Every structure is written in structure tokens, then in C-alpha cells.
Amino acid sequence: MNELIDDTYVFRITDDTGMLQHAVSGVPDPTEGYTLDDNARALIMADLLYELSPEKKYEDLLYRYTSFLLFAQKRGWFRNFMGYDRRFLEKRGSEDSFGRCICSLGFTAGRKDLPSSILQASQKLLLKTYRSCSSLSYLKGKAYALTGLLLWGEPAGLPGAEALCESIVDTYAQSRREDWRWFEDQMTYCSGILPLSLLCANEKAHLKKAASVALESLDFLLSATIKDGIFHPIGCKGWYQRGGSPAEFDEQPVEACCTMLACLAAYRLTGEPGYRESALRCYRWYLGDNSLKKSLIDRETGGCRDGLTKIGINRNEGAESIVCWMISALTAKREKLTDENLTAIPS
């Protein structure tokens, strides 16, 4: 395995229930419990780890995270926040967490190289929950669910996927202006999932209208986040309001991962090398090609810092950060973005 891909922290922050949500520096913090969001993303990470090296330790991760998702499902929906005592703190999770779970399950169920029990459990969960996609009203939840239904690829989910795709495209048409080619009047968290979901719609369902919207919006996202060859994710302290300027801080690892995956999907569609170069810039953000010129990867623990702030690195190492880093690093290895390409961006 590539020396940059260190799984030590993955096993440190995962216990016999699932992946813990937060940490104090590199020490997992049980008082903050768990979330469906983190364990759903972690299942995608485990899929990629197992694909790279089908070892028992990665198989164990597959079962751990899938079990968490099984426990979280209730009446066709999912609960999100769970205390350390294994009691859920809500009766119903957010639409975003529901969409992320559908995305993770679709990614998992659509693969052929995983243990049959994992595939069957993922399939069962999707059959229990996919109809609830029609009740989604928030944009990001729709985008995650659309991606999951398409990756799942079952005929039962395609009508719902087409409806979600049409809704996202319509939302874009209503919001788009010549100087603002985005889906809403502000650009906030996980922006890359919006063009990514539509690129997936084109790739899996051949919805041509989705591709044009995806590429136009992704180009706008990249124009706002890549400056002088460096990726600058939209900061969560203010985001990017239409008519304003992108917030500089805090920069978070999830943005680099999401944008990287969207760029690679655009490259597969168009063959344009600029998209591949942008994906590389997102990957290199973790390693020090960023606004602070500092790596977010903790070589001592194997963890990933929680982000870049105005006063320096946020030294906590939560679940979202390590999962997004691992997905990015594993994808970069698979796509051969690493090693020989490192000189493409000044360090």
C-alpha cells in the first residue's frame, strides 16, 4: 500500500460499534458518540480499502459499518446521532444524512468484489428505504440520494433517480445567472456533490441535460476555489454568497474530497486534462499545497487534521476528516494521480 495511506487511525477511531464522531487532537472522544454520516462515509472507505487489499481487517470494517447502518434504519428512514451508550438521540435524522446513507449503500451494493453478506445487507437496506427518496426536499440530500440510486443500478430505483435529477436541474435553471452559475444563492458545504450527482446521472442513465449543467456548475465551482494553482475550498465561516466573495476560512477536508471526485467524473466524460489537474490539486491540498502551506496529515497517528483556520491548523482529527482523506488517497492511487504526478504542482 502507498506509504501515504496509513490505516492506523481508521482502526483507532473505530470501536466495536462503529466510527466515533470526534477527537481531541489524535485521541478519539467517546463523549461525542457516533453519527450515521460518518459511518456511511466510512463504509465507502472500507469498500475501497477492501478492493485494494481484501484482507480480513478490512472485511471486519465492512461488517462494522454496515451493521451500524442496519441499526440506524427505522421505518424507511435513518437516524443519525447516537450516544456512546448506543442509544440514538433522535427519532429521525436529517435529509442530508439520509441521502449520504443511500449514496453509501448504492456504492456498496453496486460492487461485485465485496463479501456476499455485505452486498445482500446493502440491497436489503436499499429496498427498505429507496422509496423515501421521493419525500426529499433539500438539495444536497437529493444529490446524495441520486448518486446512490444510480450507483445501485436497480430498475426499481431508476424512476426515483430520474425525478431527483430533473428536480436538481430545474433548481439550477431557476438560480442560474450569467455571473452566478450555481444551484442556490450561496455556495456552502459539500458543493462538489451537486455536479458529481449530475455527472453520475449522465454516466449511468445517459441523461444528457444533466451533463451540461454538471460541467457548467463544476467550472464555476473551480473558478471560485482554484487560485494561482492552489485549491482553496469555500470556508465555512461565511461560505460564498451571491454578489460577495468566497470565505477564506475555515477550510475543511470534505470539500477537497467531494470536489476531487467531481473533477475525476468530469475527466471521464470529457477527457479534458484540466479536470484531472484540478483533481490533483484537490488531493495535494491535504499534503500542503494549500493556503497555509501545511500538511493536514499527522504522520504520528495516521489521522487527518480537521481543517485550516485563520490562525492555523485545527489539530483535532475527527471521523469526517480521516474518511475524506482516505477516500481521496485511495482514489488518487487508483487513478494514478500520485507519485509521478507530484511535480505538476509547486510544493
Side-chain angles (χ1 to χ4, degrees):
M1 189 176 287
N2 188 300
E3 63 178 5
L4 290 174
I5 305 176
D6 180 353
D7 63 17
T8 302
Y9 196 69
V10 170
F11 289 94
R12 181 167 295 151
I13 200 170
T14 299
D15 64 12
D16 60 356
T17 297
M19 183 171 281
L20 289 157
Q21 181 180 9
H22 288 305
V24 176
S25 188
V27 180
D29 184 0
T31 64
E32 299 291 339
Y34 316 81
T35 70
L36 173 71
D37 282 329
D38 294 330
N39 282 274
R41 289 192 185 103
L43 178 57
I44 294 176
M45 175 198 68
D47 292 341
L48 295 174
L49 284 166
Y50 187 83
E51 178 186 75
L52 179 64
S53 182
E55 302 174 47
K56 184 181 182 301
K57 63 178 182 177
Y58 299 138
E59 184 177 352
D60 289 344
L61 290 179
L62 289 170
Y63 280 92
R64 191 72 39 82
Y65 303 138
T66 303
S67 291
F68 191 99
L69 270 58
L70 283 169
F71 190 35
Q73 191 276 142
K74 188 175 184 180
R75 299 191 183 98
W77 198 263
F78 293 96
R79 297 164 291 180
N80 189 17
F81 293 100
M82 179 198 282
Y84 192 59
D85 59 0
R86 293 187 175 183
R87 295 183 182 181
F88 278 99
L89 306 178
E90 59 194 354
K91 293 182 178 179
R92 181 182 175 92
S94 69
E95 290 194 11
D96 282 1
S97 64
F98 174 87
R100 287 190 186 99
C101 198
I102 295 294
C103 184
S104 175
L105 290 168
F107 183 85
T108 302
R111 308 185 79 76
K112 306 301 180 186
D113 56 349
L114 301 179
S116 60
S117 291
I118 298 298
L119 297 176
Q120 290 164 16
S122 299
Q123 179 83 356
K124 184 174 181 179
L125 273 172
L126 283 164
L127 289 172
K128 283 186 174 182
T129 56
Y130 81 94
R131 292 182 181 86
S132 297
C133 292
S134 63
S135 68
L136 294 171
S137 57
Y138 290 98
L139 192 59
K140 299 286 174 54
K142 290 180 181 180
Y144 281 111
L146 169 60
T147 306
L149 292 177
L150 292 166
L151 292 173
W152 182 27
E154 286 291 320
L158 291 181
E162 291 180 3
L164 289 171
C165 180
E166 182 176 350
S167 174
I168 294 170
V169 169
D170 286 348
T171 298
Y172 181 79
Q174 293 170 26
S175 178
R176 181 191 183 278
R177 301 292 185 272
E178 283 303 312
D179 62 344
W180 184 258
R181 301 189 179 192
W182 197 242
F183 302 82
E184 304 170 290
D185 285 339
Q186 62 176 345
M187 191 178 286
T188 58
Y189 62 93
C190 300
S191 295
I193 188 58
L194 295 171
L196 177 60
S197 68
L198 296 181
L199 288 163
C200 189
N202 175 75
E203 183 177 347
K204 300 295 184 181
H206 309 294
L207 301 175
K208 301 299 183 184
K209 188 176 181 180
S212 62
V213 171
L215 294 175
E216 185 175 84
S217 60
L218 178 58
D219 288 345
F220 183 73
L221 173 61
L222 295 176
S223 72
T225 54
I226 295 183
K227 307 293 184 183
D228 299 322
I230 301 294
F231 179 62
H232 297 268
I234 305 298
C236 67
K237 303 297 185 183
W239 302 117
Y240 181 14
Q241 310 291 329
R242 182 182 168 195
S245 301
E248 295 184 12
F249 296 104
D250 293 357
E251 300 180 21
Q252 298 178 308
V254 67
E255 306 300 333
C257 179
C258 210
T259 306
M260 175 184 169
L261 296 177
C263 288
L264 289 172
Y267 176 71
R268 289 196 300 272
L269 172 63
T270 67
E272 289 290 333
Y275 288 121
R276 185 175 172 86
E277 291 167 7
S278 293
L280 177 58
R281 297 181 197 282
C282 293
Y283 169 68
R284 292 289 296 170
W285 176 86
Y286 292 97
L287 303 176
D289 283 337
N290 53 51
S291 57
L292 297 184
K293 306 298 182 186
K294 294 182 179 180
S295 174
L296 280 82
I297 309 308
D298 183 345
R299 301 300 184 197
E300 178 181 321
T301 67
C304 177
R305 306 296 192 183
D306 279 351
L308 304 179
T309 76
K310 189 174 182 179
I311 60 173
I313 292 179
N314 179 341
R315 295 193 171 277
N316 294 330
E317 300 174 13
E320 181 177 275
S321 301
I322 183 60
V323 168
C324 289
W325 159 242
M326 290 294 289
I327 291 174
S328 298
L330 290 162
T331 301
K333 181 177 179 64
R334 184 184 65 196
E335 300 294 330
K336 297 182 171 58
L337 285 177
T338 56
D339 303 326
E340 72 273 15
N341 300 102
L342 294 185
T343 56
I345 297 176
S347 297

